[in-house]
Amino acid sequence: MHADRFKTQVLIIGTGLAGCTAALTMADAGLEVTLITSDFAPDQGNSALAQGGIVYQAGPRDAAELERDMYTAGWKVNLPRAVRHLARKGPGVVEEILIERLGVDFARRDDGAWDLIREGGHGKPRILHCADFTGRAIMDCLLDAVQAAPNIRVLTGRTAVDLLTSHHHSTRLDFKYQLTNQCCGAYVFNREVGRVETVLADCTVLATGGIGQVYLHTTNTASSIGSGMVMAERAKAKIVNAEYVQFHPTALYHRAPRKFLVSEAVRGAGARLVNARGEAFMSRYDSRADLAPRDIVTRAIQEEMLHSGEDCVFLDAASYVSRDLQRSFPTIYAKCREIGVDMAGEPIPVVPAAHYFCGGVLTDERGRTTISRLYAAGECACTGIHGANRLASTSLLEALVWGQAVGKDIARHLRGRTALPRRLAEAMPDWVSPGDVQNEDPALIAQDWATIRHTMWNYVGIARTSQRLARAFDDLRSLQRHLQDFYKSTPISQSLIDLFHGCHAAFLVTVAARSNPETRGCHYRAK
């Protein structure tokens, strides 16, 4: 094969917790794995930003109570089989991978026991943490192990453009006529050389993260544009629950392309939300007050802001939390100091921001999608555990459990000598450049992104109406058609790929939201 075409046993798109866990599991089983990320460093995704922690267990009989808490937060739209799977398998996987295999230094009490904390929606303390930088601590240990594995190749600066499938791309008619659609790898844009590579794989794993960057305000990293869901949908994989976008109620209010998250653990420690007059207001909206599920807290904050006309509300830890805030929340404390706020002496200005995507590519307990040889794990996948709203700190656990499940299933699959047939691999064509008209304009791309983000924030945001969704549908459909025409005549680039994926992801969320008239969790229909 030539330089722009190569074969790997497993291609994993994304280097967050789910992708890296799957890679390490398969490497331990002796498989050859290629991990790709669009960033120039493998730790730039959302996993490293997770502050609060990872669900563990409050005791040996905690599984049933954890299931109940997930159902309550998810408005009972959850898949019972998946919820049970996570609650029962989760603690063992945490011990096996994070504690024993990687040695993550989770916080302990003075007596040596785990320092389990409680967050909103949880009935009791059951969350392992590393102060307020749990995601970073986990990813540092995981990436060290991944980079030390001789049969894992990490390629940075690589953006997946499209999945290769037998139905869509095969140059042989016999594969197009088969009932089963098989994923054969992906077209991958190499940013360093500016060319598209054909990466063939026996199995392909989507682990691309969330969609937050299609909104005006988000806690997500720049690469969180829904690319995994878009590529899967274009390949005709099943997408579910795309209307359920969770907004985190407390993002630091400051000017930045990515809003800094103020962890739910701060409210778990006793901090209260107050309005501009200093009044604690959450008890007016829910009996659980500041520890109500995120969708309820987010809408309460929006109501307070609408009534007061203020641009934010405040999270008061100084008046209500007795512990040393700088020691308990060093990352948040330092970030607040950067913008001139001393959280130990004054309230923190906060606003809601798009945070976690509860929908995505439909998968089973092994991470299999509706397309053969294609798997998905982490935030881009929908396993059914979150339902209509995610329970705090279950996202890292889901990524870990399903990352391992994907790794084990692929290892089992490929041990059975079910590699990609040579005739099918040879039937996959190399990328053909769509056009050579040099008409890419940064100003136009910036304006298109502004249109997407303002449309999603204003019309497909925290509160949705039929009128708003209809307007979003028309505007995004028009933009998508324009981009498809533009895409066909312009040389491919990173900015065009991102814009195309982001617009398509926003459209998929809008279509799902428009087709669901019922208010459930994150999807709030005002009328």
Side-chain angles (χ1 to χ4, degrees):
M1 293 187 185
H2 54 77
D4 290 340
R5 183 183 179 95
F6 65 90
K7 169 78 165 52
T8 181
Q9 279 190 291
V10 185
L11 171 64
I12 300 178
I13 304 169
T15 54
L17 178 54
C20 285
T21 300
L24 199 60
T25 302
M26 286 183 270
D28 288 347
L31 297 185
E32 170 207 308
V33 181
T34 301
L35 265 172
I36 66 168
T37 176
S38 58
D39 294 302
F40 284 109
D43 63 343
Q44 300 301 300
N46 284 338
S47 294
L49 298 178
Q51 294 175 355
I54 183 167
V55 169
Y56 183 50
Q57 59 181 354
R61 298 181 181 177
D62 187 41
E65 290 189 41
L66 173 58
E67 287 181 41
R68 282 197 292 273
D69 288 345
M70 281 193 275
Y71 285 130
T72 301
W75 291 73
K76 296 183 171 60
V77 181
N78 326 60
L79 175 63
R81 187 173 67 247
V83 169
R84 192 177 311 115
H85 181 75
L86 187 78
R88 296 181 182 180
K89 292 279 188 182
V93 179
V94 169
E95 288 172 8
E96 178 187 347
I97 297 178
L98 300 186
I99 296 172
E100 296 170 8
R101 174 80 159 81
L102 301 178
V104 178
D105 189 20
F106 291 114
R108 293 182 181 270
R109 299 198 306 257
D110 291 339
D111 63 1
W114 297 120
D115 180 31
L116 299 174
I117 60 173
R118 181 186 174 196
E119 292 189 1
H122 288 272
K124 58 179 61 173
R126 59 165 69 93
I127 297 165
L128 285 173
H129 67 103
C130 300
D132 63 352
F133 49 85
T134 308
R136 167 57 60 191
I138 290 172
M139 287 307 299
D140 284 350
C141 293
L142 186 54
L143 283 167
D144 284 347
V146 164
Q147 289 168 336
N151 46 342
I152 298 177
R153 173 171 52 171
V154 180
L155 301 178
T156 59
R158 301 300 209 286
T159 300
V161 181
D162 213 5
L163 296 174
L164 284 162
T165 65
S166 56
H167 281 180
H168 190 197
H169 296 96
S170 175
T171 57
R172 292 180 183 270
L173 279 176
D174 51 338
F175 291 116
K176 288 180 180 286
Y177 280 115
Q178 288 179 359
L179 294 179
T180 301
N181 189 18
Q182 300 184 65
C183 182
C184 308
Y187 287 129
V188 175
F189 181 68
N190 184 333
R191 292 169 64 182
E192 197 169 337
V193 298
R195 291 195 303 269
V196 175
E197 299 166 335
T198 304
V199 183
L200 301 167
D202 297 329
C203 291
T204 302
V205 182
L206 293 170
T208 54
I211 65 160
Q213 281 291 343
V214 305
Y215 283 90
L216 187 61
H217 303 298
T218 182
T219 61
N220 288 192
T221 55
S223 60
S224 303
I225 54 173
S227 57
M229 174 177 67
V230 167
M231 290 186 291
E233 195 273 342
R234 281 170 54 80
K236 306 306 179 190
K238 177 75 171 174
I239 308 297
V240 294
N241 291 359
E243 67 268 38
Y244 297 124
V245 180
Q246 184 185 75
F247 291 80
H248 198 288
T250 54
L252 187 62
Y253 179 63
H254 66 127
R255 290 185 63 84
R258 177 180 69 79
K259 291 287 184 284
F260 180 82
L261 181 69
V262 179
S263 171
E264 194 151 352
V266 179
R267 279 180 288 131
R272 294 188 186 180
L273 287 159
V274 299
N275 57 27
R277 297 187 298 275
E279 301 166 343
F281 58 80
M282 273 309 304
S283 58
R284 296 204 306 268
Y285 295 91
D286 194 277
S287 60
R288 292 162 290 187
D290 297 87
L291 290 179
R294 289 176 178 174
D295 57 315
I296 293 171
V297 179
T298 297
R299 287 196 295 275
I301 291 173
Q302 186 184 42
E303 284 294 313
E304 289 293 315
M305 289 166 58
L306 287 172
H307 287 311
S308 69
E310 300 287 342
D311 293 330
C312 67
V313 296
F314 299 87
L315 184 62
D316 191 350
S319 303
Y320 296 102
V321 180
S322 57
R323 69 172 77 168
D324 183 337
L325 293 173
Q326 185 173 4
R327 183 182 174 193
S328 299
F329 307 107
T331 311
I332 298 170
Y333 185 91
K335 188 66 179 182
C336 287
R337 293 295 300 208
E338 274 183 33
I339 66 164
V341 174
D342 177 9
M343 68 179 287
E346 60 187 315
I348 306 165
V350 293
V351 290
H355 183 55
Y356 190 86
F357 186 45
C358 298
V361 187
L362 178 65
T363 68
D364 63 9
E365 290 100 314
R366 301 184 201 173
R368 297 178 299 183
T369 72
T370 52
I371 294 177
S372 179
R373 302 183 184 276
L374 178 65
Y375 292 73
E379 194 171 348
C380 74
C382 184
T383 62
I385 72 158
H386 302 304
N389 190 23
R390 177 178 71 100
L391 179 65
S393 288
T394 53
S395 53
L396 289 179
L397 184 61
E398 180 192 33
L400 185 75
V401 170
W402 262 264
Q404 185 195 55
V406 164
K408 286 185 172 181
D409 196 67
I410 292 177
R412 192 163 48 241
H413 185 70
L414 296 184
R415 270 200 303 269
R417 299 183 181 277
T418 51
L420 191 69
R422 192 177 72 178
R423 286 179 67 251
L424 179 55
E426 291 172 349
M428 291 297 110
D430 289 330
W431 175 266
V432 177
S433 182
D436 56 4
V437 180
Q438 299 291 338
N439 60 350
E440 183 178 320
D441 186 337
L444 294 177
I445 290 174
Q447 180 58 42
D448 286 343
W449 267 118
T451 298
I452 293 166
R453 287 169 174 148
H454 281 87
T455 297
M456 293 301 288
W457 186 257
N458 292 325
Y459 304 150
V460 200
I462 296 166
R464 302 160 177 179
T465 67
S466 297
Q467 188 175 5
R468 293 174 191 173
L469 292 172
R471 176 71 180 272
F473 179 86
D474 289 342
D475 290 353
L476 290 170
R477 182 174 58 175
S478 175
L479 179 58
Q480 193 173 17
R481 285 172 175 167
H482 166 73
L483 288 177
Q484 284 175 335
D485 292 339
F486 187 75
Y487 198 70
K488 290 173 183 175
S489 63
T490 307
I492 197 165
S493 68
Q494 179 71 36
S495 55
L496 275 182
I497 297 165
D498 288 350
L499 181 59
F500 186 84
H501 283 168
C503 183
H504 195 149
F507 185 67
L508 291 176
V509 173
T510 301
V511 170
R514 197 179 182 203
S515 65
N516 185 355
E518 292 185 32
T519 287
R520 290 278 183 89
C522 306
H523 176 58
Y524 183 73
R525 291 294 295 260
K527 57 182 177 178

